[in-house]
Amino acid sequence: MGIKIYNTLTRQKEDFVPIDDDEVKFYACGPTVYNFIHIGNGRTFMMADVMRRYLEYSGYKVKFVMNVTDIDDKIINQAIKDKMEFSDVSQMYTEAYFEDIAKLGLRMPDAAPRVTEHLDAIINLIQTLILKGFAYESKGSVYYNVEKFSGYGKLSGKNTDDLVSGARVEVDETKRNPLDFVLWKAAKPGEPSWDSLWGKGRPGWHIECSAMCMTHLGDQIDIHVGGADLVFPHHENEIAQSEGATGHQFVKYWMHCGFLNVNDEKMSKSTGNFWLLRDVLKRFRPEVVRLFFLQKHYASPLNFSEDLLRDAENAHKRIEGIFNKVQQALELKDNLGSVGRDAYHADVEEFNKNLDRWEKEVVEAMNDDFNTAAAMGKIFEIFSGLNKIASTKKLNDFTLYVLKRARDLILEWNEFLGILHLSRPEGLSKKYEQLIDLLIEIRMEVRKKKDFAMSDKIRDRLTEIGILLEDGPDGTTWKLK
Ligand code: AMP
Ligand code: ZN
């Protein structure tokens, strides 16, 4: 059985068949960088990373793109509040975001496009929409004419008549229709703006994802992920924009992550009921937070509280303890070559038989719309079984074989689950260390010349290969991820 995905568009679980055999094209909506990300954002980002890794584990080559929204009302407002340039605010929180997700064990996307670096693509896409009759200019702004796109509402299941009757009376008279949404916002005094065919202005939120997705992955992609709050209007509008411009289907599988809630209410910056991911990670190990997320299916809502994290911490302590016991048993020279039956022989035989079943079941669970909750259930059963049989006393060859088999399976699955922290091989050679120091020096030089794009590139590339740079008052240090 191959992978099945619940597709928000068709409201069905479907067999996953990529458009192109060579590469899965995968886009996730990234953060708006006006503040540090909260642990709710972290859940959605992490689950996208788990999906990406599982696809790779299953043999697919994946191109994973996650944008950074680096111009937006919220960023402008934050910059005014902090008396800073908007670009310094977004730069600072972009760096913080990459640090946070790296700490949670997420891999860098293959591309992390920023809106301010894609103005040409955005303007071209808007121009195409105007030429094709899907958009119109009005007082220096450009709007999408929702009436013109017959498929509007197909993702969210909303009906345009209901939407119109439900829409609040619009004060904005620049729009023809209350449902029309902005593609290009005419510049307001004092706000950052860029030149365009319609005068100075800046892009609307929805158009950026269509443009960046199409720039980096092409007109048709396999998977598009975001939190459940993005189904409408963000993703509905992305479909209208991209399909209006190209005339064909934009995304094959739309996937949406459930909310991380506090007392059954969505965690969000606006209500103030949030925990920053970096604060959580000061108190809990990344593997604990990962385990907490993985115990629930990505699409289900998940309640967050400190007590629930503590429960995850206890569960983690237990499995880590068992894992270490198994490692120890396998490493003890004493055990090797010992013969005969040991006290647990019958248990070991049964465990080995169960392992055949669990091995299949974990993969089946993950294939079933990335059901990490079911997969974790099986993995906990494996740990319970291991706990019984892993003793560091003399074990016979068969027991050692079974322990090794279970350990290797867990390590294999850890590639996409990331629930066990494995110590990295020691000893980068002196030359490697000197090379990293040289890169840090070059980065300092480019920062002095205000080439932040290059500085970021050096930092991001190093993060990608597992070397984390940390900027502090006394300069930049590095450590292995
Ligand atoms: P934002 O920076 O608000 O655009 O959010 C970035 C990503 O986090 C989007 O995919 C959101 O849907 C997602 N998100 C926001 N709040 C939550 C939450 N409480 N639980 C899960 N995902 C969330
Ligand atoms: Zn988006």
Side-chain angles (χ1 to χ4, degrees), residues 320-371:
E320 192 179 51
I322 298 169
F323 187 80
N324 289 341
K325 199 156 91 173
V326 172
Q327 285 285 60
Q328 242 177 324
L330 290 172
E331 279 159 19
L332 268 187
K333 296 238 170 14
D334 215 22
N335 280 323
L336 296 177
S338 64
V339 285
R341 295 168 69 90
D342 58 35
Y344 307 107
H345 198 85
D347 287 345
V348 178
E349 271 185 345
E350 199 192 327
F351 178 82
N352 193 40
K353 236 188 268 145
N354 286 336
L355 207 51
D356 293 337
R357 177 167 57 81
W358 286 321
E359 184 177 0
K360 271 200 224 100
E361 286 174 345
V362 169
V363 172
E364 276 165 11
M366 288 302 294
N367 279 351
D368 184 15
D369 193 28
F370 307 98
N371 193 341

Side-chain angles (χ1 to χ4, degrees), residues 27-30 67 69 205-206 208-210 224-225 230 234-235 238:
Y27 185 90
C29 287
N67 73 296
T69 299
W205 173 35
H206 314 299
E208 65 180 58
C209 276
S210 282
H224 194 314
V225 172
L230 300 189
H234 186 54
H235 291 162
E238 271 191 53

Side-chain angles (χ1 to χ4, degrees), residues 27 29 67 69 71-72 115 122 125-126 129 144 152 179-185 203-214 224 229-242 250 254:
Y27 185 90
C29 287
N67 73 296
T69 299
I71 175 70
D72 176 87
V115 182
I122 292 170
L125 183 57
I126 298 175
L129 288 169
Y144 192 96
Y152 198 79
L179 292 190
D180 294 353
F181 58 90
V182 72
L183 301 173
W184 185 258
K185 296 180 178 186
W205 173 35
H206 314 299
I207 196 72
E208 65 180 58
C209 276
S210 282
M212 291 188 283
C213 183
M214 289 157 84
H224 194 314
D229 53 338
L230 300 189
V231 176
F232 187 86
H234 186 54
H235 291 162
E236 194 70 68
N237 292 353
E238 271 191 53
I239 292 178
Q241 294 161 160
S242 299
F250 173 40
W254 283 95

